[in-house]
Amino acid sequence: MREARLRWFGHVKRRGMDAPVRRCERLALDGFRRGRGRPKKYWGEAIEVYFEEDILTNILSRLPVRSLLRFKCVAKFWKTLVDDPYFRMKHLNHTKNDKNFQKFLFYQLSPMKDIFSIHSCSLSSAQVEDVRKLDFPSNVEPRCCQVYCCCDGLAIIRVDESNDESHILLLWNPSTEESIVLPTPEFSVEGYCCLGMSFDSNSDDYKILKIPQYGNECRNVYGEILALKSGSWRKIDEHPGVIFNMLYVMHSLACIHGAFHWVGFSRNYFVISLNISYEEYGEIPLPDGICLRDSTDIGISELEGMVCAYSNAYLHGNHPFKLWVMKDYGLKESWIALFSIANPYISMPMPKYRFADGTVLFWYINFRRMTNAYGTQRGPFRLLPPGLAQNGFAFTESLICPKLLM
Amino acid sequence: MVKLKSNDDKEFEVEEAAVIQSEMIKNMIEDGCATSVIPLPNIDSKTLIKVIEYLNKHINMGKAAETGEEDDLKEFDEQFVNMGWEELFDVIMAANYLNIHELMELCCQSAADRLKNKSVRAVREMLKITNDLTEEEEQEIINDAPWAFEGPEIDDTVN
């Protein structure tokens, strides 16, 4: 086989530079602007490596993280490949679009022991499978724990080892259990604030945005942004004219279409967008028919790459909970109502994930028991356990290594 | 019709509509380089027969969606990849060389599905890979993620 391949190689090399087979070689060498990762090896320089590595990459990028961590033991070449940041990006690009790689990270306070536990499980079908108890990214079992958001297989998590003032903010990959401590923001995360994280292709860097629940006039707290490579937080200007941000501590800033989104209020409620590359604000109108009266929770989250808006009148009647998705980004006419349910026990619901069959998984506070639980438009979702101080986040499993991002 | 020649000197005639699923041959035809027989010096006739079988079945992919033949095609694909490792790898090499995107996707996914739950030992044996890691290096990898090496789904059989 190898001999045949090399023979063909000679045959190709002898052909004129304009023959189609050689054109691709020239294309490859023409020097595309270098993207992320190391440059690809082309067959002009190493025919053997090109074939082997390209095909192996193609096959392995379809495997779960667990298999890949195991297969690092197959041989040196496999270890090098799996550890390669370029391969890790390729793997992520594959897993992002594949429902089989969608996982759920959930944590809760164990009522007996007064400590937190954290688990991950598979969410591929409307089933909960492969539940795995994870070790916290700290040495002791935490007294307090909060996950803020997930992005590309990474979670931003705060773990407090004791009840004193100190707490650390970590960037953690629950699939590989690698983590780094993030710099401390000027305005503590202790106050009411929400975080979002996204990759900014313009600066080839991940950015984390922290937005306070109230405007700075009330609390004198600013929004801050952390570009990971810069290593420190910096203040950002507020949206001009916004009186307050309708954010609760369990919300995340939804990142869609290269911008973070949340609900703000000036004269009306509307969706604030903040472009991650240029840090410019924009506005998107909420769907008609969203309940805007007092004591209504309005939120924005991401479902299948779309902006999702929801409302819950948690003090009125049967606590109507309505949910919309925006099919075409930024186009008001494309808001589509997905469902509307009324259940007096459901308050402060938050959509978390949409299964392939359209079922939407949401978190909520059970108004009667005052515990946190999960449900879908079809009823309670008991595969995920209800609990105290509990929350969960859908994430794509990835090999992205937090240490290499800062 | 386009004529293809395998490395064991067997010629095959394939409809142009089928063969242009190969980006490489499509380019050759567009450049007028496919007037006579196209030699494929690194594909044997056994593999080429499989590839042609695939190309003929997947002719006019767009039509399948219209006429509701998608299930039929899915069933064909499932049957198609039901082959031994060596054969699968030959088809992958051929699909890679001929640049047939869909076939490459199908076969690489099949290879990944077969590897997914295998033990390290099984993978080495299936792919005939010699372990060149030292015992210490291996232990270090295991210590980094011991959970990846334990579990009832891990399959140590070679097939």
Side-chain angles (χ1 to χ4, degrees), chain A residues 71-90:
Chain A
F71 294 165
K72 279 167 77 171
C73 250
V74 168
K76 265 185 189 151
F77 182 61
W78 286 50
K79 180 183 184 298
T80 313
L81 186 68
V82 174
D83 283 337
D84 182 359
Y86 172 76
F87 173 78
R88 292 181 172 211
M89 271 321 291
K90 275 210 102 144

Side-chain angles (χ1 to χ4, degrees), chain A residues 3-198:
Chain A
E3 195 193 289
R5 232 185 280 153
L6 291 173
R7 208 168 342 125
W8 165 248
F9 187 48
H11 164 71
V12 172
K13 277 288 181 200
R14 279 191 299 276
R15 296 191 67 172
M17 214 44 203
D18 285 306
V21 276
R22 293 217 63 182
R23 206 185 303 151
C24 60
E25 187 184 359
R26 208 176 49 208
L27 261 179
L29 298 170
D30 266 353
F32 287 114
R33 211 171 67 82
R34 246 198 82 184
R36 309 181 72 195
R38 62 168 168 68
K40 228 172 140 179
K41 285 184 178 129
Y42 293 101
W43 60 337
E45 54 184 271
I47 186 165
E48 191 73 25
V49 177
Y50 173 79
F51 274 106
E52 302 298 339
E53 186 173 331
D54 228 33
I55 293 173
L56 195 60
T57 300
N58 192 334
I59 296 170
L60 296 188
S61 61
R62 296 159 195 272
L63 289 176
V65 169
R66 189 175 145 80
S67 307
L68 291 170
L69 292 178
R70 185 166 68 245
F71 294 165
K72 279 167 77 171
C73 250
V74 168
K76 265 185 189 151
F77 182 61
W78 286 50
K79 180 183 184 298
T80 313
L81 186 68
V82 174
D83 283 337
D84 182 359
Y86 172 76
F87 173 78
R88 292 181 172 211
M89 271 321 291
K90 275 210 102 144
H91 180 259
L92 175 65
N93 288 339
H94 198 270
T95 57
K96 252 184 185 172
N97 303 313
D98 189 334
K99 289 253 177 206
N100 291 322
F101 292 94
Q102 304 315 309
K103 298 270 170 134
F104 200 69
L105 182 70
F106 60 99
Y107 58 98
Q108 67 180 71
L109 182 67
S110 319
M112 297 302 169
K113 292 194 282 181
D114 205 25
I115 50 161
F116 276 81
S117 65
I118 193 159
H119 294 80
S120 74
C121 65
S122 164
L123 265 191
S124 51
S125 48
Q127 288 293 324
V128 168
E129 288 163 337
D130 309 324
V131 179
R132 188 158 76 86
K133 188 174 187 293
L134 304 174
D135 289 329
F136 278 98
S138 62
N139 297 326
V140 292
E141 289 177 305
R143 292 268 169 199
C144 189
C145 159
Q146 187 182 351
V147 173
Y148 289 93
C149 61
C150 288
C151 165
D152 289 353
L154 303 170
I156 300 179
I157 183 171
R158 185 186 116 200
V159 285
D160 300 359
E161 296 184 351
S162 59
N163 286 326
D164 66 17
E165 296 291 294
S166 68
H167 48 260
I168 40 169
L169 205 57
L170 298 128
L171 185 62
W172 178 46
N173 183 332
S175 311
T176 62
E177 300 200 353
E178 294 169 313
S179 68
I180 49 165
V181 176
L182 289 171
T184 313
E186 184 177 339
F187 301 97
S188 154
V189 290
E190 190 83 320
Y192 292 106
C193 72
C194 295
L195 273 71
M197 174 169 162
S198 182

